[in-house]
């Protein structure tokens, strides 16, 4: 069964009374364990599609089904709860909480899920080890490089044991070395833990590493290329 | 999770230490200044009140029910000796002053003026407050007949000095005009010009002889162990002596009561003005703090932090911002009031102006614990009100827009 299914998803923004069609009937199935890049020129609808899949935005028409749940049937608070338990987010600008340390940032999501403090702490340390930051657990975001911050963001995204991770241009603010390391790490998590990753990106390095590349042009899927067998 | 939200709220306060520090110090100083000012003015009014009550009003007064209307001397308290003896046995009564009273005309060769004549018994009433204000001479005593103690203003008006003679004319108990010549034995100068002008003291024996009955007592003044309890004590006495008019200082001197009540109100008004200023400062700071964290708050909503948690996080943050400074301000105010309450604040430079209102040159700030409690509640309420708007702003955040705005 597909982890994510979008059926004829359309999104129209009414900007200055002129309707802007961000998505025009997108049909997409993403299976468990996929390492998918959604690419396309600026304004093609990549981020909008990611937001709709992540339950952050609602489609004007069509349906988004995540793990068998039609997101349009959920109330605002149910949607927040759904995101908390089923979806991991990695943002372009890292978006860590600056007053918390790396381990606290990772723990925070689990604490919101209501898991015991000790479990949160141990799991956070183990996730930070997994992303190669075992020696930075007590550092605050301001004491970490961009690449390190994005690793913490990945660890945070994984902390809630999500069904999949959505990453909106995760390498956009990173240098080539940090980007490479981050991609290696996510590819490893994809291989080892069968974690589903969906990226929106312009970055050719990400596109080169993706197993499936979905190209959006003017809000429509222009090309859907599967390059390698996922785990 | 609530502990984590509280902890995050606390850490957020220190995200911008300078900005938070300014607000915390403003709250601290506002609280301190407001309470200390209240303590200062309360001490000043209390001092004035105490002085006026001590000099002329007392806590409770007992009279014949009809005496007050026309000060007719025939309306004296009957069986006053027994009454005084009975009052003396009550544990809450600390001091009793019984006097005969007449209203009449004081005359000198130069001028005349209406006065209230108090017939006192200096031996029995050793605590007579006017004694401390005598500037020349002494209280009238039995060594000389028809001695009189007058105020400096009356002395000026009638052009009298020590040992001068003057005539008092008044109505006796039969309604006949009577009078006698009196020799000035002393001159007092209290804080009240009115009192200094229209109040004189003679020996009770001398006054009563002229009034026509040696046992006359028209007014019994009582000082209790606690001014605040005067109303309760008076109520007991009214039940015990239903045929007598028993009044508390609040009825006898409504101007003092008004001053006292107004002061209480003023203390709160001062504090409310300070708190309103602080509320706007806190709202401004918290709005800045929330608006500059739009992306972060959007991210928190995106990853699953619900509205109630983001709302409560900002509420806690605002609460901390206010409630860090307020207790320190309260403590400082308490320490300042306690310190100056003992040493006093010397305002002798303004002594003349204050004296007219019965205020001493040294002010001893004081404030009751209820006031501290009320201020704490008011500040907590202000913190809550200040927190509502910034916290409400987070509810209207759309995570997509919040994240996109800064990406």
């Amino acid at each position: 069964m597909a982890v994510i299914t979008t059926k004829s998803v359309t999104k129209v923004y009414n900007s200055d009374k002129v309707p802007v069609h961000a998505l025009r009937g997108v049909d997409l199935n993403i299976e468990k364990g996929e390492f998918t890049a959604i690419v396309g020129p600026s304004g093609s609808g990549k981020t909008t599609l990611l937001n709709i899949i992540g339950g952050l935005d609602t489609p004007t028409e069509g349906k988004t089904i995540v793990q068998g749940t039609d997101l349009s049937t959920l109330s605002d608070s149910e949607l927040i709860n759904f995101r908390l338990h089923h979806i991991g987010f990695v943002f372009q600008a890292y978006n860590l909480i600056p007053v918390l340390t790396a381990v606290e940032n990772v723990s925070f999501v689990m604490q919101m899920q209501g898991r015991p403090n000790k479990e949160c702490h141990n799991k956070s340390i183990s996730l930070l080890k997994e992303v190669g930051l075992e020696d930075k657990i007590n550092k605050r975001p301001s004491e970490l490089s961009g690449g390190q911050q994005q690793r913490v963001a990945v660890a945070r995204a994984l902390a809630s044991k999500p069904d999949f991770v959505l990453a909106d241009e995760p390498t956009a603010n990173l240098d080539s070395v940090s980007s490479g390391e981050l991609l290696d790490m996510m590819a490893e998590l994809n291989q080892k833990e069968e974690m589903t990753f969906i990226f929106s990106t312009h970055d050719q390095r990400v596109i080169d590493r993706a197993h499936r590349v979905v190209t959006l042009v003017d809000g429509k899927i222009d090309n859907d290329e599967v390059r390698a067998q996922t785990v | 999770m609530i502990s984590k939200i509280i902890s995050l709220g606390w850490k957020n306060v220190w995200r911008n230490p300078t900005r938070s520090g300014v607000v915390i110090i403003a709250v601290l100083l506002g609280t301190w200044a407001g309470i200390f000012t209240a303590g200062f003015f309360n001490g000043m009014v209390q001092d004035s009140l105490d002085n006026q009550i001590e000099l002329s009003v007392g806590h409770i007064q007992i009279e014949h029910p009809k005496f007050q209307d026309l000060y007719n001397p025939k309306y004296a308290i009957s069986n006053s000796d027994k009454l005084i003896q009975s009052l003396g046995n009550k544990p809450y009564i600390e001091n009793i002053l019984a006097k005969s009273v007449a209203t009449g005309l004081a005359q000198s060769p130069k001028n005349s003026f209406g006065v209230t004549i108090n017939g006192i018994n200096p031996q029995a009433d050793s605590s007579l407050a006017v004694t401390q204000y005598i500037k020349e001479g002494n209280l009238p005593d039995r060594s000389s007949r028809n001695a009189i103690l007058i105020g400096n203003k009356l002395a000026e008006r009638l052009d009298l000095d020590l040992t001068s003679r003057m005539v008092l004319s008044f109505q006796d108990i039969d309604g006949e005009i009577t009078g006698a010549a009196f020799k000035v034995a002393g001159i007092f100068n209290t804080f009240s010009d009115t009192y200094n002008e229209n109040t004189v003291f003679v020996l009770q024996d001398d006054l009563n002889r002229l009034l026509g009955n040696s046992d006359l007592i028209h007014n019994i003044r009582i000082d209790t162990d606690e001014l605040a309890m005067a109303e309760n004590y008076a109520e007991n006495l009214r039940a015990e002596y239903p045929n007598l008019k028993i009044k508390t200082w609040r009825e006898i001197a409504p101007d003092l009561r008004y001053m006292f009540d107004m002061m209480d109100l003023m203390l709160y008004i001062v504090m409310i003005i300070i708190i309103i200023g602080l509320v706007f400062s806190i709202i401004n700071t918290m709005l800045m703090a929330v608006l500059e964290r739009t992306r972060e708050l959007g991210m928190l909503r995106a990853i699953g932090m619900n509205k109630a948690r983001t709302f409560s996080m900002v509420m806690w943050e605002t609460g901390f911002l206010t409630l860090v400074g307020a207790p320190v301000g309260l403590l400082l105010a308490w320490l300042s009031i306690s310190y100056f309450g003992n040493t006093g604040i010397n305002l002798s430079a303004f002594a003349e102006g204050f004296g007219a209102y019965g205020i001493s040159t040294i002010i001893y700030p004081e404030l009751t614990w209820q006031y501290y409690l009320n201020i704490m509640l008011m500040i907590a309420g202000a913190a809550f009100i200040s927190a509502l708007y910034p916290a409400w702003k987070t509810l209207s955040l759309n995570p997509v827009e919040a994240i996109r705005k800064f990406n």
Side-chain angles (χ1 to χ4, degrees):
Chain A
M1 194 178 88
V3 179
I4 302 159
T5 303
T6 65
K7 289 182 180 171
S8 306
V9 165
T10 299
K11 181 69 184 180
V12 182
Y13 292 109
N14 287 309
S15 169
D16 295 331
K17 296 180 183 172
V18 181
V20 177
H21 287 79
L23 295 174
R24 299 166 190 262
V26 173
D27 290 303
L28 184 68
N29 280 311
I30 292 176
E31 303 291 332
K32 183 167 175 61
E34 281 191 8
F35 200 68
T36 303
I38 297 172
V39 301
S42 290
S44 60
K46 303 184 297 292
T47 299
T48 304
L49 180 59
L50 233 58
N51 286 340
I52 287 174
I53 291 172
L56 294 172
D57 209 347
T58 51
T60 311
E61 283 174 33
K63 279 184 179 176
T64 312
I65 297 162
V66 175
Q67 289 286 58
T69 303
D70 182 353
L71 298 187
S72 64
T73 62
L74 301 179
S75 67
D76 198 28
S77 59
E78 286 170 334
L79 209 49
I80 291 173
N81 205 39
F82 189 86
R83 290 201 296 267
L84 177 62
H85 290 92
H86 296 274
I87 307 171
F89 289 92
V90 177
F91 303 98
Q92 179 184 331
Y94 329 133
N95 287 3
L96 299 175
I97 304 170
V99 293
L100 300 184
T101 62
V103 70
E104 287 170 336
N105 263 289
V106 179
S107 294
F108 193 71
V109 178
M110 291 184 274
Q111 283 163 335
M112 282 200 291
Q113 288 179 319
R115 292 201 239 166
N117 280 344
K118 196 167 175 66
E119 182 194 329
C120 297
H121 187 73
N122 292 340
K123 176 74 179 169
S124 303
I125 290 175
S126 125
L127 282 168
L128 286 168
K129 274 184 189 167
E130 224 169 314
V131 298
L133 291 175
E134 58 267 43
D135 56 339
K136 307 281 185 194
I137 57 172
N138 290 320
K139 299 283 183 193
R140 289 194 175 188
S142 58
E143 298 169 297
L144 299 173
S145 69
Q148 288 168 335
Q149 287 188 56
Q150 199 61 301
R151 282 158 181 261
V152 176
V154 171
R156 181 181 65 187
L158 296 171
S160 61
K161 291 189 187 164
D163 298 326
F164 58 92
V165 172
L166 293 175
D168 188 9
E169 307 212 24
T171 57
N173 289 347
L174 301 182
D175 58 45
S176 58
V177 175
S178 299
S179 293
E181 287 172 355
L182 187 76
L183 286 168
D184 287 345
M185 184 200 78
M186 291 201 278
E188 196 183 330
L189 286 165
N190 171 253
Q191 293 287 327
K192 270 172 50 185
E193 316 218 351
E194 221 180 325
M195 177 55 65
T196 310
F197 281 92
I198 303 146
F199 306 91
S200 77
T201 188
H202 286 293
D203 190 340
Q204 192 56 46
R205 289 163 301 191
V206 180
I207 298 168
D208 291 345
R209 301 287 293 267
H211 302 155
R212 180 181 174 187
V213 179
V214 177
T215 309
L216 284 179
V217 176
D218 294 335
K220 284 193 243 179
I221 295 179
D222 186 59
N223 189 29
D224 189 350
E225 179 191 357
V226 177
R227 291 170 166 177
Q229 193 66 37
T230 54
V231 178
Chain B
M1 186 58 200
I2 186 68
S3 64
K4 197 69 201 169
I5 296 288
I6 295 171
S7 156
L8 187 57
W10 173 251
K11 286 176 178 171
N12 282 337
V13 169
W14 303 108
R15 193 180 276 246
N16 188 335
T18 309
R19 188 169 62 198
S20 296
V22 166
V23 175
I24 288 168
I25 289 170
V27 171
L28 187 157
L29 289 178
T31 309
W32 173 79
I35 295 179
F36 185 73
T37 306
F40 177 83
F41 284 110
N42 188 47
M44 193 188 258
V45 168
Q46 199 65 50
D47 186 49
S48 165
L49 193 68
D50 289 346
N51 284 342
Q52 297 200 44
I53 284 176
E54 184 194 28
L55 177 67
S56 58
V57 182
H59 296 185
I60 296 170
Q61 288 187 17
I62 302 175
E63 289 175 351
H64 187 285
K66 289 186 176 174
F67 180 71
Q68 188 187 359
D69 297 338
L70 291 170
Y71 279 71
N72 189 328
K74 74 178 178 185
Y75 296 121
I77 299 168
S78 52
N79 295 321
S80 57
D81 286 348
K82 273 190 181 174
L83 175 62
I84 291 165
Q85 196 176 0
S86 163
L87 292 172
N89 292 331
K90 299 198 183 299
Y92 56 83
I93 293 181
E94 292 196 333
N95 192 35
I96 300 169
L97 172 64
K99 60 187 183 183
S100 50
V101 180
T103 54
L105 196 65
Q107 295 166 282
S108 73
K110 188 161 186 183
N111 211 338
S112 61
F113 196 70
V115 291
T116 300
I117 307 154
N118 295 283
I120 55 168
N121 184 351
Q123 284 165 321
D125 306 321
S126 55
S127 61
L128 195 66
V130 76
T131 312
Q132 61 190 295
Y133 297 101
I134 294 175
K135 301 296 176 197
E136 291 177 74
N138 296 297
L139 274 176
D141 59 32
R142 292 177 195 283
S143 61
S144 58
R145 192 170 163 170
N146 285 1
I148 187 168
L149 176 71
I150 63 172
N152 63 327
K153 281 283 169 189
L154 186 67
E156 272 176 36
R157 184 178 275 273
L158 302 187
D159 195 22
L160 300 171
D161 54 22
L162 216 54
T163 71
S164 297
R165 287 188 179 274
M166 59 183 285
V167 172
L168 289 179
S169 309
F170 46 92
Q171 190 182 331
D172 68 12
I173 57 172
D174 298 321
E176 301 295 332
I177 296 297
T178 183
F182 285 79
K183 183 179 171 188
V184 177
I187 297 174
F188 60 81
N189 179 12
T190 72
F191 49 81
S192 166
D193 283 349
T194 313
Y195 191 84
N196 296 342
E197 194 164 37
N198 66 12
T199 309
V200 299
F201 294 87
V202 298
L203 287 178
Q204 207 168 83
D205 292 346
D206 293 338
L207 181 60
N208 286 0
R209 189 179 59 251
L210 291 165
L211 286 170
N213 183 337
S214 61
D215 295 328
L216 290 174
I217 290 294
H218 296 108
N219 178 289
I220 298 175
R221 169 187 153 163
I222 295 168
D223 291 333
T224 67
D225 53 0
E226 197 180 341
L227 180 67
M229 291 294 290
E231 197 56 53
N232 292 3
Y233 294 148
E235 206 52 54
N236 293 341
L237 292 173
R238 282 181 197 121
E240 199 172 340
Y241 305 106
N243 297 326
L244 292 172
K245 181 76 179 171
I246 296 168
K247 298 179 288 184
T248 64
W249 68 273
R250 296 177 76 87
E251 298 162 80
I252 302 160
D255 53 331
L256 290 186
R257 183 191 67 198
Y258 180 72
M259 183 167 79
F260 191 75
D261 293 345
M262 276 304 290
M263 192 64 218
D264 213 29
L265 186 65
M266 285 301 293
L267 299 186
Y268 284 106
I269 288 174
V270 166
M271 205 58 220
I272 286 169
I273 290 169
I274 290 174
I275 285 175
I276 287 173
L278 291 177
V279 163
F280 280 102
S281 155
I282 293 163
I283 290 176
N284 180 46
T285 302
M286 280 311 297
L287 265 184
M288 284 203 302
V290 166
L291 293 177
E292 74 184 14
R293 281 182 7 231
T294 305
R295 186 178 66 186
E296 185 185 315
L297 292 165
M299 176 277 294
L300 287 170
R301 293 279 296 283
I303 64 172
M305 190 174 191
N306 61 30
K307 288 182 175 181
R309 283 173 177 164
T310 43
F311 185 87
S312 65
M313 182 180 74
V314 175
M315 290 293 284
W316 278 107
E317 199 174 323
T318 317
F320 285 133
L321 201 59
T322 313
L323 299 175
V324 166
V328 182
L330 276 170
L331 180 68
L332 276 181
W334 178 75
L335 288 173
S336 313
I337 289 173
S338 300
Y339 176 75
F340 287 111
N342 283 324
T343 61
I345 299 171
N346 194 337
L347 295 175
S348 49
F350 312 100
E352 204 168 314
F354 283 165
Y357 297 97
I359 299 168
S360 308
T361 53
I362 296 177
I363 305 295
Y364 295 92
E366 62 175 279
L367 218 48
T368 60
W369 65 267
Q370 287 100 327
Y371 192 83
Y372 288 98
L373 181 70
N374 290 343
I375 292 299
M376 273 175 67
L377 293 174
M378 283 165 71
I379 291 172
F384 181 76
I385 291 166
S386 312
L388 283 177
Y389 183 61
W392 176 79
K393 288 291 277 184
T394 66
L395 297 183
S396 55
L397 268 180
N398 178 335
V400 174
E401 285 173 12
I403 296 165
R404 187 193 298 146
K405 201 170 178 176
F406 292 89
N407 264 342

